[in-house]
Amino acid sequence: MNPLTTSAFDLPDHLAPKADPALIAGDERHFAAIAESLEQSIADLSDRLDAERMAPAGTGQKALERDMEIHRLTTRLRTLRRFGLDLCLGHIVREGDSEPVYVGRLGLKDGAGRRLLVDWRSPAAEPFFGATHANPMGLASRRRYRWTRGRVSDYWDEVFTSDGFEGHAALDDQSAFIASLGGSRSPRMRDVLGTIQADQDAIIRAGSRGALVVDGGPGTGKTVVALHRSAYLLYSDPRLGHRRGGVLFVGPHQPYLAYVADVLPSLGEEGVQTCTLRDLVAEGAAAADESDPDVARLKSSADLVKAIEPAVRFYENPPTEGMTVTTDWSDIWLSPHDWAEAFQARDPGTPHNEARDQIWEELVTILMDKYDGDAPEALLRRSLQQDRELLTAFNRAWPLIEASDLVGDLWSVPAYLRLCAPWLSPDEIRKLQREDAQAWTVSDLPLLDAARQRLGDPEATRRRRRQEAALAAQREHMAQVVDNLIEAAAASGADGDDGEGLVVMLRGQDAQVSLVDETALPSTDPDLLAGPFAHIVVDEAQELTDAEWQMLLLRCPSRSFTIVGDRAQARHGFTESWQERLKRIGLDRIDLASLSINYRTPEEVMAEAEPVIRAVLPDANVPTSIRSGGVPVVHGSAADLGSVLDAWLAENADGVACVIGDPAFRGTSRVRSLTPELAKGLEFDLVVLVDPEAFGEGIEGAVDRYVAMTRATQRLVVLTSS
């Protein structure tokens, strides 16, 4: 029985010509096959998921593989259940081939192995996004669907050959995309996969080696490109799989991440980690803005971040004086050379705190090698490990250090800062000192992050010892259990051989190890943002300081980045080129791609916004709008704010508005209240800009006005108090 009992098309009356069976019968048949395959796939995936969950968890690599398989099955099942038929984005027909190729959010086959959908990220689907009349990529035609509540509410055809017009009802190259822009905004970014444009798709599918800069002004789809590129790279590049480091997506602030949160899951990708720079450091959530611009400028330098290395090395110098270690059997001389030899035992790259165990073990081994006596080795080692004078000397020579203490000392001990950053002038050192050394600011975060990466976890040693103690206790308990079982089996004559077979089995090392439950040992949740990542995508990258870039470079040894931004939207100025900025912070292989078409912002708004940014940045990449909203920019008085919003809400049952520049205004479910900085990356049907002149003079004020204006997708109202 065909599971598609009703038509997949639900076209309004004014689109009746598109409902002609001659135009959609092939689609109906294909959708019926997709529906049947979906039903079977969901049932099969559910059974497989149930089986995996019921199977023994295992330990080590086996447990990891089971968890990964459950995650994979769950993700695919969630995607299939969420979308149903609207997994299908559209279809393409190649020149000389009458059979359409249907493109979907993911690939799908029927029971006989026939391909029903090709994954949008596959090479076979590339012409669906990339074909243009200038470069049809071998296509005769292309059809895109608009889905509403699981049924096709509209579709558009594009034809690329002179004889391909027959059998198509909506020949408009831009109609699908322009129609999507005309709809009302919602609190979350809507799915835009079906309307990716050729210039955007070329960037999404670009290679991942080195750094790719995507430079584009407002409305060019930078965020769309960044999100879809994350999903594409995970699919196409075997170096970036979840077990090989995965992808990190960095956005400018939490409202932005909330706005785009639904996009990656809608693409069938839930393995991308997303965060802001604040999220990378524990102190980031409560960090305040730096109040002194001179201090912020000093801390924005990558050189100051590099001062963390000598700050840590200060605590890694071996003692220059020897000491006598007294044991119950004899005294042992520990020379400065012995200390130096122990300090060299650290494996390269091991963080300071986590290297303590290696150095301590080497120090004890050196002392045991120097001992010339007949004391039992175990007793001698225990005596040395418990020697208070030796432990005190070691703790002084290689102390456990908290990152917050180390960075706080830089801001409270001038001589320490001078030692670690000798290039700073006396006046700069004075500026960086503060009364509350640990009153953290956003400018401190790169230094805290570098310190934490270099120092490592101060609790690592204690946690390892607790785990070892817990494991030893478990093994001792299980050994007692095994002895009791063996004793009972021997007494009852189990197996008909006086318990001898059971004795052999239970005394086996593998059996005793398998009886220990390592999953019950004390542990900590892994830091999912610690890295390393195989690729990092950075949106609104123009705002990052050189110091903040070091936070990301630490997490991406491959130097594989997608860097998305707009120099014209940099609040603190961006007068150099992308290549100059990125080479300075440590990236050498840099490719530049530019987006110059504004698909979102009406030309009426751009006509008013462009002069604002050109006045401070003449070479700004101001994109050309291809939309005419037909609604001029309205100017009025700030006193009219309430009436403006009331009128708009009465006229618009859906959509979202935003008031920018009025801190006294309290937002509602449909009218947000934001600063220009927090509005960056977002979009709204209506933007009401209040007192734009109050944003200030210079580049920061101009950028804030430019950003605020270009958030509007339908209407802009500018209100002033004068």
Side-chain angles (χ1 to χ4, degrees), residues 51-88:
E52 285 290 342
R53 286 172 171 164
M54 293 175 64
T59 59
Q61 183 65 27
K62 184 178 179 181
L64 175 63
E65 290 175 356
R66 173 182 176 271
D67 289 347
M68 293 294 293
E69 179 65 6
I70 288 175
H71 174 76
R72 187 188 70 80
L73 293 172
T74 302
T75 298
R76 186 170 178 88
L77 188 58
R78 187 183 296 119
T79 303
L80 295 182
R81 284 174 169 166
R82 171 179 177 171
F83 286 102
L85 282 180
D86 51 352
L87 281 169
C88 184

Side-chain angles (χ1 to χ4, degrees), residues 189 222-232 249 256 260 263-264 267 537:
M189 177 179 276
K222 300 187 300 298
T223 297
V224 167
V225 166
L227 292 164
H228 288 70
R229 181 164 166 77
S230 300
Y232 172 78
F249 184 96
Y256 167 92
V260 304
V263 175
L264 285 166
L267 302 174
V537 181

Side-chain angles (χ1 to χ4, degrees), residues 236-509:
S236 65
D237 192 332
R239 299 181 305 115
L240 307 184
H242 303 303
R243 300 188 191 184
R244 299 173 177 83
V247 174
L248 175 67
F249 184 96
V250 182
H253 47 69
Q254 284 299 332
Y256 167 92
L257 291 182
Y259 179 60
V260 304
D262 202 38
V263 175
L264 285 166
S266 78
L267 302 174
E269 262 312 337
E270 299 183 6
V272 177
Q273 295 295 327
T274 63
C275 71
T276 69
L277 287 174
R278 284 177 178 266
D279 298 329
L280 298 177
V281 184
E283 296 82 357
D289 291 331
E290 195 74 60
S291 58
D292 187 333
D294 288 337
V295 172
R297 176 184 55 79
L298 289 170
K299 292 181 180 178
S300 71
S301 166
D303 287 337
L304 201 55
V305 177
K306 293 173 184 174
I308 293 299
E309 178 60 31
V312 177
R313 281 204 310 270
F314 177 78
Y315 294 99
E316 296 181 345
N317 294 314
T320 56
E321 296 183 3
M323 64 178 290
T324 298
V325 180
T326 301
T327 73
D328 292 338
W329 301 275
S330 67
D331 293 342
I332 307 174
W333 174 248
L334 186 63
S335 70
H337 175 77
D338 295 330
W339 278 107
E341 182 181 347
F343 273 37
Q344 293 171 1
R346 176 177 66 172
D347 292 335
T350 305
H352 171 92
N353 291 325
E354 296 166 27
R356 275 173 53 91
D357 286 352
Q358 297 175 11
I359 295 168
W360 173 249
E361 287 301 319
E362 182 66 18
L363 198 63
V364 171
T365 299
I366 289 171
L367 287 167
M368 292 187 65
D369 289 344
K370 297 184 75 171
Y371 170 71
D372 186 16
D374 56 0
E377 181 177 333
L379 291 178
L380 176 62
R381 178 174 291 275
R382 185 178 305 161
S383 174
L384 292 171
Q385 289 175 335
Q386 295 175 352
D387 187 280
R388 287 192 174 184
E389 286 190 30
L390 180 61
L391 282 167
T392 299
F394 176 67
N395 288 333
R396 192 183 308 116
W398 195 286
L400 282 172
I401 308 173
E402 291 278 359
S404 56
D405 292 335
L406 184 124
V407 177
D409 286 348
L410 292 174
W411 308 151
S412 57
V413 184
Y416 186 45
L417 179 58
R418 188 178 303 112
L419 174 71
C420 301
W423 62 87
L424 293 175
S425 70
D427 184 56
E428 290 172 333
I429 289 175
R430 180 187 59 77
K431 278 182 177 292
L432 288 168
Q433 301 302 296
R434 65 188 182 210
E435 185 174 345
D436 185 350
Q438 297 193 11
W440 304 118
T441 68
V442 174
S443 301
D444 293 323
L445 301 184
L447 289 102
L448 286 164
D449 185 57
R452 196 156 281 126
Q453 295 268 351
R454 176 63 173 81
L455 291 169
D457 185 1
E459 290 293 319
T461 296
R462 298 188 187 101
R463 189 162 50 249
R464 181 183 62 80
R465 288 174 180 167
R466 286 197 299 269
Q467 288 177 331
E468 289 175 350
L471 188 60
Q474 270 205 43
R475 285 175 174 157
E476 183 177 351
H477 174 70
M478 292 312 304
Q480 183 63 49
V481 171
V482 168
D483 288 344
N484 292 341
L485 288 172
I486 290 172
E487 183 178 342
S492 63
D495 294 332
D497 55 2
D498 295 328
E500 184 175 333
L502 182 62
V503 169
V504 172
M505 181 188 74
L506 290 176
R507 288 205 184 279
Q509 184 66 29

Side-chain angles (χ1 to χ4, degrees), residues 12-190:
D13 292 341
H14 71 278
L15 297 179
K18 291 187 178 183
D20 186 341
L23 298 176
I24 64 173
D27 284 348
E28 293 276 32
R29 289 191 296 271
H30 200 82
F31 290 151
I34 291 174
E36 185 175 357
S37 179
L38 279 173
E39 185 177 340
Q40 186 60 50
S41 296
I42 289 172
D44 292 344
L45 284 169
S46 298
D47 291 343
R48 290 169 58 189
L49 186 58
D50 289 343
E52 285 290 342
R53 286 172 171 164
M54 293 175 64
T59 59
Q61 183 65 27
K62 184 178 179 181
L64 175 63
E65 290 175 356
R66 173 182 176 271
D67 289 347
M68 293 294 293
E69 179 65 6
I70 288 175
H71 174 76
R72 187 188 70 80
L73 293 172
T74 302
T75 298
R76 186 170 178 88
L77 188 58
R78 187 183 296 119
T79 303
L80 295 182
R81 284 174 169 166
R82 171 179 177 171
F83 286 102
L85 282 180
D86 51 352
L87 281 169
C88 184
L89 305 170
H91 72 238
I92 53 178
V93 178
R94 297 189 177 277
E95 195 170 3
D97 189 350
S98 61
E99 285 297 315
V101 174
Y102 287 80
V103 178
R105 297 173 186 278
L106 43 76
L108 188 69
K109 295 180 179 179
D110 65 12
R114 179 171 68 104
R115 177 69 67 182
L116 299 175
L117 292 173
V118 297
D119 192 295
W120 70 272
R121 296 167 288 190
S122 68
E126 186 173 356
F128 179 77
F129 303 98
T132 64
H133 285 283
N135 178 23
M137 301 178 71
L139 294 191
S141 67
R142 168 170 56 197
R143 174 171 290 183
R144 303 176 192 249
Y145 306 113
R146 167 178 279 183
W147 294 90
T148 304
R149 293 184 292 276
R151 299 175 72 186
V152 177
S153 57
D154 203 351
Y155 67 90
W156 298 269
D157 288 343
E158 298 163 71
V159 180
F160 299 96
T161 59
S162 57
D163 59 347
F165 288 90
E166 185 177 352
H168 297 287
L171 303 178
D172 182 350
D173 295 345
Q174 293 287 349
S175 58
F177 191 57
I178 298 301
S180 72
L181 295 171
S184 296
R185 262 49 192 175
S186 64
R188 285 192 171 185
M189 177 179 276
R190 286 184 175 149

